[in-house]
Amino acid sequence: MDSFQVNCWSEYDELKVVMLCAPSIVDVTDSTIAEQVGWSDTVNHNKAMDNFLALKTILENAGVKVLDYANELAHEQQLLSEQLINRYFVRDLACVIGNRLLPGRAGSSLRRPEYPLAHALLEKWFPQQFTAQSQALHSFECGDLLILNKDAVLINLGMRTTLEAIDKIKESIFQEGFSEIAVIDLPKSNDTLHLDMNCNVVNVNLVIAKSFVRLFPVQVLTAQSSRFDMIEPFLKRHGFDVYWRDTYKTIPDINFINLNPETLLISKQATKQQFLAHF
């Protein structure tokens, strides 16, 4: 792998390198079994692989360097990894905050074997920036964290991220120069599983969010204090307007990727007219 240093200060700047992971080789053809392993529908490996390759091609055509970490695993690890049916959501595994790489900790037993496989590679690639966490049982999945700007981070206390985990990582975040961490506690359901399924950063001054989120308070942490605020005033204080959405399809309409400040990569299933409705 080419040598480079990781860094990230927002969700909207130019995306230069992304880590992906090809889907597992497992098909799940029974809808009941699919539900039992965390899916809302059956899983077809060939279709998933086609989608993966399409995403990889789009990213590369946009000038993004793509790393498929499954290709870097030892043979025995690959044999395990390719059987992990939930091995799709790489964002949950780790996050880059400032110049620091924070590993996540799985909140689901189905995801747990995947984390140490990826973390071992990340620690090998970025030994100076990888921040090893203690072996505590507190889960932290990085889809619950959004970097708003160089000053503020928003974290969801959800189904897969605990308050104890936030308490463990907050000092690392403050050490990178961020002055505030806002903690929100959204409903714990499959439709609100992670923060990035409920709100997302669109640009330097705009957040898109489900309308019910505006009713939730946030606990604002600094290195010296803690206080409460509502989510909208907190975001506005950090320079963000909010595009509140009353109607949405959770995954395609909220869970998108910023390629650069002028370009969003959204699902073909997204409600495009609602994106275009905002100036």
Side-chain angles (χ1 to χ4, degrees), residues 130-202:
F130 188 91
T131 302
Q133 303 292 325
S134 66
Q135 297 301 309
L137 298 177
H138 308 307
S139 62
F140 166 52
E141 294 195 353
C142 301
D144 276 320
L145 184 147
L146 291 174
I147 302 176
L148 299 177
N149 52 37
K150 290 187 176 183
D151 191 48
V153 173
L154 179 62
I155 305 179
N156 178 42
L157 176 60
M159 289 178 66
R160 302 284 182 83
T161 295
T162 65
L163 188 60
E164 292 83 359
I166 296 172
D167 192 55
K168 283 182 175 295
I169 66 171
K170 66 181 183 182
E171 188 59 35
S172 295
I173 296 174
F174 291 139
Q175 287 174 0
E176 288 303 300
F178 297 92
S179 63
E180 291 191 338
I181 302 171
V183 180
I184 192 168
D185 187 359
L186 295 175
K188 295 170 176 59
S189 67
N190 287 336
D191 196 49
T192 56
L193 182 61
H194 287 128
L195 180 61
D196 62 9
M197 295 169 62
N198 295 279
C199 67
N200 212 332
V201 180
V202 183

Side-chain angles (χ1 to χ4, degrees), residues 1-260:
M1 190 189 73
D2 294 339
S3 177
F4 62 91
Q5 297 292 299
V6 296
N7 70 92
C8 183
W9 302 96
S10 76
E11 304 290 338
Y12 51 79
D13 282 328
E14 181 184 359
L15 183 61
K16 296 181 178 179
V17 183
V18 64
M19 186 173 80
L20 299 181
C21 182
S24 70
I25 63 174
V26 178
D27 286 327
V28 181
T29 58
D30 182 277
S31 58
T32 301
I33 295 175
E35 183 177 353
Q36 290 169 335
V37 295
W39 295 102
S40 60
D41 205 345
T42 56
V43 179
N44 180 285
H45 163 71
N46 289 331
K47 182 177 180 181
M49 182 57 73
D50 288 343
N51 289 169
F52 168 79
L53 292 175
L55 173 62
K56 183 174 183 287
T57 299
I58 288 170
L59 290 168
E60 289 175 335
N61 288 344
V64 180
K65 179 179 176 61
V66 175
L67 307 174
D68 181 352
Y69 85 78
N71 293 333
E72 305 297 326
L73 297 172
H75 178 66
E76 297 79 8
Q77 294 173 322
Q78 287 185 346
L79 293 178
L80 168 63
S81 181
E82 65 188 12
Q83 296 293 322
L84 299 176
I85 187 60
N86 285 78
R87 192 192 70 180
Y88 285 76
F89 308 105
V90 178
R91 178 171 184 145
D92 298 335
L93 296 176
C95 56
V96 179
I97 303 181
N99 293 303
R100 192 181 298 247
L101 203 163
L102 291 180
R105 187 166 298 280
S108 162
S109 60
L110 282 167
R111 300 287 319 268
R112 205 160 291 146
E114 178 188 5
Y115 280 56
L117 295 178
H119 291 171
L121 287 174
L122 290 171
E123 188 168 18
K124 174 185 174 182
W125 292 340
F126 310 108
Q128 303 303 317
Q129 298 176 280
F130 188 91
T131 302
Q133 303 292 325
S134 66
Q135 297 301 309
L137 298 177
H138 308 307
S139 62
F140 166 52
E141 294 195 353
C142 301
D144 276 320
L145 184 147
L146 291 174
I147 302 176
L148 299 177
N149 52 37
K150 290 187 176 183
D151 191 48
V153 173
L154 179 62
I155 305 179
N156 178 42
L157 176 60
M159 289 178 66
R160 302 284 182 83
T161 295
T162 65
L163 188 60
E164 292 83 359
I166 296 172
D167 192 55
K168 283 182 175 295
I169 66 171
K170 66 181 183 182
E171 188 59 35
S172 295
I173 296 174
F174 291 139
Q175 287 174 0
E176 288 303 300
F178 297 92
S179 63
E180 291 191 338
I181 302 171
V183 180
I184 192 168
D185 187 359
L186 295 175
K188 295 170 176 59
S189 67
N190 287 336
D191 196 49
T192 56
L193 182 61
H194 287 128
L195 180 61
D196 62 9
M197 295 169 62
N198 295 279
C199 67
N200 212 332
V201 180
V202 183
N203 208 311
V204 63
N205 59 358
L206 184 65
V207 166
I208 189 170
K210 297 176 180 178
S211 58
F212 78 86
V213 175
R214 73 193 313 160
L215 301 175
F216 280 76
V218 291
Q219 184 179 8
V220 182
L221 308 176
T222 72
Q224 295 84 25
S225 66
S226 171
R227 70 181 189 284
F228 286 93
D229 200 350
M230 298 303 292
I231 182 64
E232 189 166 26
F234 170 79
L235 290 171
K236 285 186 176 296
R237 186 161 53 79
H238 285 285
F240 290 93
D241 290 326
V242 187
Y243 181 27
W244 298 110
R245 296 283 295 273
D246 293 312
T247 58
Y248 43 77
K249 294 180 288 187
T250 290
I251 298 295
D253 286 354
I254 305 294
N255 195 220
F256 51 80
I257 299 171
N258 294 265
L259 294 183
N260 57 57

